[in-house]
Amino acid sequence: MKLLKVADYAEMSRQAADIIIKQVKEKPNAVLGLATGSTVLGVYRELAADHRQHGTSYRLVRTVNLDEYVGLGPDHPNSYRYYMNQHLFAQLDIPLHETHVPDGLAADLDEECRRYERLIDELGGIDLQLLGIGRNGHIGFNEPGTPFSTATHVVELTELTREANARFFPSLDDVPRYAITMGIATILRSRRIVLLASGEEKADAMARLLEGVVTPDLPASALHLHPDVTIIADCEALSLIP
Ligand code: F6R
């Protein structure tokens, strides 16, 4: 596990964008695993700016997102599909049909999970997976206690996660209770993983992660089992490291 300590959110975003741009230049048909949330927004802004200014092309790139709320469709402003279209895909030259997000409206959610796993395999696996980290150490929507062996599955969100995400919804009651998420085993199959952390509210999870104890109580600690993980974290996120 490689740790890049950076000054702030802007620097974290630039460094992560540089890694993604390099990956796409090296392998123009790369499969990128993507996340949503506040942490990665700056990265997407950097990728969009680079595409406009330097013309890095995503015409052959394929993407798979980590997760989606159950019950929210692509037109719902809080769905992750909507977020991705708005913040990234519409800003690049990537064909929309090559971008994949779990279908939160699928009639058979378990079948949707199996389809998503097959899809990732059919794409040839994920070359580079971008991750944020939850305050409780979750990755994707894999909450504490999730076995590391899980594939894509339906999860009931914890109250902490629902509260953390409530800022995007009219009220806490509007935050969905379930989501589809790639499992920890799915994430660990990626060839390379980049995890980002910014801000004081991530400091506790980061301190636990960097302690090095591998336990399902801290889902992100599964990353210690992966051979190619880069963590880019700012000073605030690392403020509890002795
Ligand atoms: C989002 C995701 C989540 C977030 C995490 C951090 O697709 O899978 O694990 O990365 O909850 O969220 P932010 O960046 O909003 O603090």
Side-chain angles (χ1 to χ4, degrees):
M1 187 176 275
K2 185 169 142 192
L3 173 64
L4 300 179
K5 299 180 192 176
V6 295
D8 53 23
Y9 183 84
E11 180 62 16
M12 176 195 76
S13 305
R14 273 195 298 276
Q15 296 231 12
D18 284 351
I19 291 173
I20 295 172
I21 292 164
K22 191 157 172 266
Q23 168 74 72
V24 169
K25 286 187 169 154
E26 272 170 21
K27 185 177 177 187
N29 66 343
V31 176
L32 302 179
L34 299 175
T36 58
S38 307
T39 312
V40 292
L41 265 183
V43 182
Y44 297 158
R45 278 197 290 269
E46 291 288 334
L47 294 181
D50 165 75
H51 173 68
R52 277 196 310 275
Q53 289 159 19
H54 306 114
T56 305
S57 179
Y58 296 76
R59 248 178 346 103
L60 302 175
V61 166
R62 286 83 45 81
T63 68
V64 279
N65 261 79
L66 279 167
D67 41 19
E68 178 62 285
Y69 289 118
V70 167
L72 303 192
D75 298 330
H76 193 291
N78 287 120
S79 73
Y80 287 173
R81 163 52 82 179
Y82 188 96
Y83 168 111
M84 290 308 300
N85 287 353
Q86 189 188 18
H87 294 296
L88 189 64
F89 303 146
Q91 320 295 326
L92 306 176
D93 60 346
I94 189 165
L96 211 53
H97 68 270
E98 299 288 8
T99 69
H100 304 279
V101 180
D103 178 5
L105 294 181
D108 183 339
L109 292 171
D110 290 333
E111 174 49 30
E112 173 58 9
C113 294
R114 289 190 290 271
R115 182 196 70 84
Y116 209 67
E117 286 287 315
R118 282 196 305 272
L119 169 77
I120 294 170
D121 285 345
E122 284 161 16
L123 292 171
I126 298 168
D127 290 301
L128 174 61
Q129 176 66 56
L130 184 64
L131 296 176
I133 183 167
R135 285 185 286 174
N136 60 4
H138 73 217
I139 48 174
F141 271 134
N142 294 286
E143 300 286 18
T146 309
F148 291 169
S149 57
T150 47
T152 300
H153 62 294
V154 177
V155 280
E156 183 169 6
L157 302 179
T158 62
E159 278 314 293
L160 186 69
T161 296
R162 290 185 67 243
E163 281 161 22
N165 292 1
R167 65 192 192 278
F168 302 113
F169 290 83
S171 77
L172 182 59
D173 268 353
D174 295 298
V175 184
R177 294 182 182 277
Y178 294 91
I180 296 178
T181 182
M182 279 186 202
I184 293 178
T186 324
I187 293 169
L188 291 180
R189 279 207 309 279
S190 312
R191 285 185 268 282
R192 183 174 184 196
I193 297 174
V194 175
L195 179 136
L196 307 183
S198 170
E200 234 174 298
E201 71 271 26
K202 304 296 170 65
D204 185 58
M206 289 307 290
R208 290 172 64 206
L209 173 60
L210 294 171
E211 241 169 47
V213 179
V214 178
T215 164
D217 292 342
L218 188 80
S221 69
L223 300 179
H224 288 294
L225 305 174
H226 191 282
D228 192 349
V229 176
T230 303
I231 294 180
I232 310 178
D234 68 13
C235 292
E236 287 186 358
L238 296 175
S239 56
L240 293 180
I241 310 290

